[in-house]
mmCIF file of all heavy atoms in Angstrom:
data_model
loop_
_atom_site.group_PDB
_atom_site.id
_atom_site.type_symbol
_atom_site.label_atom_id
_atom_site.label_comp_id
_atom_site.label_asym_id
_atom_site.label_seq_id
_atom_site.Cartn_x
_atom_site.Cartn_y
_atom_site.Cartn_z
ATOM 1 N N ARG A 1146 3.370 8.242 0.853
ATOM 2 C CA ARG A 1146 2.431 7.831 1.893
ATOM 3 C C ARG A 1146 2.533 6.315 2.015
ATOM 4 O O ARG A 1146 2.595 5.617 1.016
ATOM 5 C CB ARG A 1146 1.042 8.285 1.443
ATOM 6 C CG ARG A 1146 -0.107 7.943 2.244
ATOM 7 C CD ARG A 1146 -1.006 6.796 1.874
ATOM 8 N NE ARG A 1146 -1.580 6.645 0.568
ATOM 9 C CZ ARG A 1146 -1.611 5.461 -0.038
ATOM 10 N NH1 ARG A 1146 -1.041 4.416 0.481
ATOM 11 N NH2 ARG A 1146 -2.196 5.327 -1.198
ATOM 12 N N LYS A 1151 -2.386 5.602 5.035
ATOM 13 C CA LYS A 1151 -3.669 5.497 4.319
ATOM 14 C C LYS A 1151 -4.771 5.045 5.260
ATOM 15 O O LYS A 1151 -5.864 5.613 5.266
ATOM 16 C CB LYS A 1151 -3.541 4.538 3.148
ATOM 17 C CG LYS A 1151 -4.869 4.189 2.530
ATOM 18 C CD LYS A 1151 -4.904 4.462 1.090
ATOM 19 C CE LYS A 1151 -6.241 3.993 0.525
ATOM 20 N NZ LYS A 1151 -6.817 4.939 -0.339
ATOM 21 N N TYR A 1154 -5.666 7.846 7.542
ATOM 22 C CA TYR A 1154 -6.416 8.885 6.837
ATOM 23 C C TYR A 1154 -7.888 8.491 6.699
ATOM 24 O O TYR A 1154 -8.787 9.305 6.897
ATOM 25 C CB TYR A 1154 -5.810 9.166 5.468
ATOM 26 C CG TYR A 1154 -6.548 10.237 4.718
ATOM 27 C CD1 TYR A 1154 -6.366 11.586 5.026
ATOM 28 C CD2 TYR A 1154 -7.444 9.920 3.702
ATOM 29 C CE1 TYR A 1154 -7.051 12.577 4.345
ATOM 30 C CE2 TYR A 1154 -8.130 10.909 3.012
ATOM 31 C CZ TYR A 1154 -7.930 12.233 3.343
ATOM 32 O OH TYR A 1154 -8.615 13.209 2.669
ATOM 33 N N VAL A 1155 -8.139 7.232 6.374
ATOM 34 C CA VAL A 1155 -9.517 6.762 6.239
ATOM 35 C C VAL A 1155 -10.263 6.904 7.567
ATOM 36 O O VAL A 1155 -11.429 7.296 7.590
ATOM 37 C CB VAL A 1155 -9.534 5.293 5.744
ATOM 38 C CG1 VAL A 1155 -10.911 4.686 5.848
ATOM 39 C CG2 VAL A 1155 -9.018 5.219 4.313
ATOM 40 N N ARG A 1158 -9.642 11.392 9.042
ATOM 41 C CA ARG A 1158 -9.485 12.498 8.098
ATOM 42 C C ARG A 1158 -10.381 13.698 8.369
ATOM 43 O O ARG A 1158 -10.423 14.631 7.572
ATOM 44 C CB ARG A 1158 -9.709 12.007 6.681
ATOM 45 C CG ARG A 1158 -11.126 11.543 6.435
ATOM 46 C CD ARG A 1158 -11.291 11.057 5.028
ATOM 47 N NE ARG A 1158 -12.582 10.422 4.893
ATOM 48 C CZ ARG A 1158 -12.838 9.442 4.073
ATOM 49 N NH1 ARG A 1158 -11.885 8.972 3.305
ATOM 50 N NH2 ARG A 1158 -14.038 8.924 4.006
ATOM 51 N N LYS A 1209 -3.626 17.825 -5.247
ATOM 52 C CA LYS A 1209 -4.268 16.862 -6.139
ATOM 53 C C LYS A 1209 -3.678 15.467 -5.943
ATOM 54 O O LYS A 1209 -4.405 14.475 -5.898
ATOM 55 C CB LYS A 1209 -4.099 17.292 -7.603
ATOM 56 C CG LYS A 1209 -5.034 18.388 -8.017
ATOM 57 C CD LYS A 1209 -4.895 18.695 -9.496
ATOM 58 C CE LYS A 1209 -5.888 19.752 -9.926
ATOM 59 N NZ LYS A 1209 -5.793 20.040 -11.367
ATOM 60 N N THR A 1210 -2.373 15.385 -5.815
ATOM 61 C CA THR A 1210 -1.712 14.088 -5.621
ATOM 62 C C THR A 1210 -2.077 13.486 -4.269
ATOM 63 O O THR A 1210 -2.339 12.289 -4.172
ATOM 64 C CB THR A 1210 -0.188 14.245 -5.739
ATOM 65 O OG1 THR A 1210 0.118 14.846 -7.001
ATOM 66 C CG2 THR A 1210 0.512 12.916 -5.631
ATOM 67 N N PHE A 1211 -2.113 14.319 -3.232
ATOM 68 C CA PHE A 1211 -2.468 13.811 -1.898
ATOM 69 C C PHE A 1211 -3.886 13.219 -1.891
ATOM 70 O O PHE A 1211 -4.107 12.126 -1.382
ATOM 71 C CB PHE A 1211 -2.345 14.916 -0.858
ATOM 72 C CG PHE A 1211 -2.775 14.488 0.518
ATOM 73 C CD1 PHE A 1211 -1.975 13.674 1.288
ATOM 74 C CD2 PHE A 1211 -3.991 14.889 1.026
ATOM 75 C CE1 PHE A 1211 -2.360 13.266 2.555
ATOM 76 C CE2 PHE A 1211 -4.397 14.495 2.290
ATOM 77 C CZ PHE A 1211 -3.586 13.676 3.057
ATOM 78 N N PHE A 1212 -4.840 13.942 -2.466
ATOM 79 C CA PHE A 1212 -6.210 13.437 -2.473
ATOM 80 C C PHE A 1212 -6.366 12.245 -3.415
ATOM 81 O O PHE A 1212 -7.129 11.321 -3.136
ATOM 82 C CB PHE A 1212 -7.193 14.543 -2.810
ATOM 83 C CG PHE A 1212 -7.329 15.545 -1.683
ATOM 84 C CD1 PHE A 1212 -6.977 16.859 -1.868
ATOM 85 C CD2 PHE A 1212 -7.768 15.133 -0.436
ATOM 86 C CE1 PHE A 1212 -7.064 17.776 -0.826
ATOM 87 C CE2 PHE A 1212 -7.871 16.043 0.612
ATOM 88 C CZ PHE A 1212 -7.520 17.354 0.417
ATOM 89 N N TYR A 1213 -5.609 12.217 -4.497
ATOM 90 C CA TYR A 1213 -5.628 11.061 -5.401
ATOM 91 C C TYR A 1213 -5.120 9.800 -4.677
ATOM 92 O O TYR A 1213 -5.743 8.738 -4.757
ATOM 93 C CB TYR A 1213 -4.788 11.339 -6.637
ATOM 94 C CG TYR A 1213 -4.528 10.110 -7.469
ATOM 95 C CD1 TYR A 1213 -5.522 9.605 -8.300
ATOM 96 C CD2 TYR A 1213 -3.304 9.448 -7.408
ATOM 97 C CE1 TYR A 1213 -5.288 8.458 -9.050
ATOM 98 C CE2 TYR A 1213 -3.080 8.311 -8.156
ATOM 99 C CZ TYR A 1213 -4.080 7.829 -8.966
ATOM 100 O OH TYR A 1213 -3.858 6.687 -9.705
ATOM 101 N N CYS A 1214 -4.016 9.904 -3.971
ATOM 102 C CA CYS A 1214 -3.419 8.710 -3.354
ATOM 103 C C CYS A 1214 -4.217 8.202 -2.168
ATOM 104 O O CYS A 1214 -4.062 7.056 -1.758
ATOM 105 C CB CYS A 1214 -1.966 8.975 -2.958
ATOM 106 S SG CYS A 1214 -1.714 9.896 -1.438
ATOM 107 N N ASN A 1215 -5.093 9.028 -1.621
ATOM 108 C CA ASN A 1215 -5.923 8.592 -0.492
ATOM 109 C C ASN A 1215 -7.356 8.280 -0.902
ATOM 110 O O ASN A 1215 -8.196 8.024 -0.046
ATOM 111 C CB ASN A 1215 -5.902 9.646 0.605
ATOM 112 C CG ASN A 1215 -4.601 9.619 1.357
ATOM 113 O OD1 ASN A 1215 -4.211 8.608 1.896
ATOM 114 N ND2 ASN A 1215 -3.897 10.739 1.370
ATOM 115 N N GLY A 1216 -7.608 8.272 -2.199
ATOM 116 C CA GLY A 1216 -8.927 7.890 -2.685
ATOM 117 C C GLY A 1216 -9.932 8.989 -2.549
ATOM 118 O O GLY A 1216 -11.092 8.813 -2.358
#
Side-chain angles (χ1 to χ4, degrees):
R1146 176 260 308 137
K1151 169 125 176 135
Y1154 180 78
V1155 169
R1158 65 181 171 211
K1209 282 184 177 181
T1210 304
F1211 176 75
F1212 289 118
Y1213 168 77
C1214 79
N1215 285 303

